[in-house]
Amino acid sequence: MPIDPQNALLTAQAGLAQLSTLIVSYSFSAIGAVILLVVGYIVAGLAERSIFAGLGHIHGFDATLRHFFSKIVRYAILILVTIMVLGQFGVQTASIIAAIGAIGLAIGLALQGTLQNIAAGIMLLALRPFRIGESVEVGPVAGSIEEIGLFATRLRTADGVYILAPNSTLWNQPVRNFSRNGVRRSDITLSIGSWNDIDRAQKTLLAIAVAECRVKRDPAPVAFVATLGESTASIALRYWTSSADFFATQTDLTKRAKQEFDAEGISIPLPPPEASPPQARRQ
């Protein structure tokens, strides 16, 4: 069947007209999408900086939380802009939002433990049961805080061991913070022979505490009889000192108490002699 040149020409012209219409339509959509992307990127950056700066004006607000919340705002704006750009090209955004929700749910279920650590990290940074540099004990974990992150907290033990503890572990247990109050109480107990002058021993311990500049005057140090045995008496010295001087003061006062007891003739009872082995007794 011969092709009519005129009909073919008309068909080609109609096709070109539709193509030009599509090109113009999508060109405007593409230009609008590019403009929307640029504006959205700029707005996201401005919002991130504004949130970060605004949270910085809140006294005591942690820097890690400032970064976290400002990043959330930034990425939320970028996701919204991406959905709007896809809508410019006729994509059904409702299905995209549903897919993002399903993906988010799947990721949340897969990373349930990680999300718990993030939530616990936010609570630790907000409520501040401990800060960097403080000495704490949380369940089996004990040491000095070096870093509080959104997922885990880094500690260093007294003997220099590195510990990385998940935040959910630290959040779900009682925290003993040895540095927070600034002062700590310490007790030094020494056993002396019951034949010694107990009043003299107490006065000697009190004189040692009063002469130590690191011992607080309020509350005042006290010395008392802790326990009494058949041949021994335990004399205790109770005093308060700063948290930073706790261990150094305790070791120094213990050494000085032994030296002063020796100088005053206050004797510390010797342990009972060990029983001879059966072979030695038979010989």
Side-chain angles (χ1 to χ4, degrees):
M1 182 178 178
I3 300 176
D4 187 357
Q6 187 174 2
N7 289 334
L9 181 61
L10 292 175
T11 303
Q13 289 177 347
L16 289 173
Q18 291 179 356
L19 181 61
S20 62
T21 302
L22 289 174
I23 291 174
V24 171
S25 175
Y26 278 102
S27 296
F28 281 115
S29 297
I31 294 173
V34 171
I35 295 174
L36 191 58
L37 283 174
V38 173
V39 173
Y41 184 82
I42 296 174
V43 171
L46 292 174
E48 179 185 9
R49 289 190 291 271
S50 299
I51 295 295
F52 185 81
L55 294 177
H57 294 140
I58 301 176
H59 178 70
F61 202 88
D62 192 84
T64 305
L65 283 181
R66 291 169 62 193
H67 285 287
F68 179 72
F69 287 123
S70 60
K71 289 293 183 183
I72 285 180
V73 172
R74 173 185 174 85
Y75 289 126
I77 293 175
L78 291 177
I79 291 173
L80 179 62
V81 169
T82 303
I83 294 175
M84 294 174 62
V85 168
L86 293 176
Q88 290 285 327
F89 295 97
V91 178
Q92 295 296 325
T93 57
S95 59
I96 295 176
I97 295 174
I100 292 175
I103 293 172
L105 179 61
I107 293 175
L109 292 175
L111 301 177
Q112 185 175 4
T114 303
L115 294 178
Q116 287 179 352
N117 287 328
I118 294 176
I122 293 175
M123 296 303 296
L124 290 175
L125 291 170
L127 298 181
R128 294 176 176 271
F130 45 75
R131 297 184 177 91
I132 294 175
E134 292 183 336
S135 180
V136 300
E137 179 181 327
V138 188
V141 180
S144 178
I145 302 295
E146 290 194 334
E147 181 184 1
I148 306 172
L150 284 176
F151 298 95
T153 297
R154 189 174 76 240
L155 303 92
R156 180 182 293 273
T157 63
D159 53 352
V161 177
Y162 170 91
I163 296 180
L164 187 67
N167 287 333
S168 58
T169 302
L170 302 179
W171 176 249
N172 292 325
Q173 299 190 66
V175 177
R176 297 183 65 194
N177 193 323
F178 300 107
S179 306
R180 177 60 55 88
N181 291 334
V183 293
R184 290 183 62 182
R185 195 195 77 187
S186 179
D187 290 356
I188 296 176
T189 304
L190 289 90
S191 295
I192 63 174
S194 57
W195 56 86
N196 291 282
D197 188 344
I198 294 179
D199 291 334
R200 186 178 180 186
Q202 289 182 239
K203 291 178 181 179
T204 301
L205 286 180
L206 276 179
I208 295 171
V210 171
E212 174 57 57
C213 62
R214 291 170 294 185
V215 173
K216 301 293 183 182
R217 300 296 179 261
D218 185 20
V222 294
F224 56 93
V225 179
T227 59
L228 286 174
E230 293 182 359
S231 60
T232 62
S234 296
I235 310 298
L237 173 65
R238 176 170 294 172
Y239 63 91
W240 290 79
T241 185
S242 65
S243 300
D245 295 330
F246 178 80
F247 292 105
T249 306
Q250 188 179 63
T251 55
D252 289 346
L253 288 184
T254 302
K255 177 182 177 180
R256 203 170 303 156
K258 175 62 171 64
Q259 293 173 340
E260 291 296 326
F261 276 9
D262 290 344
E264 294 289 335
I266 302 173
S267 58
I268 296 176
L270 296 175
E274 296 182 358
S276 302
Q279 294 84 356
R281 290 200 299 267
R282 284 196 297 268
Q283 293 175 358

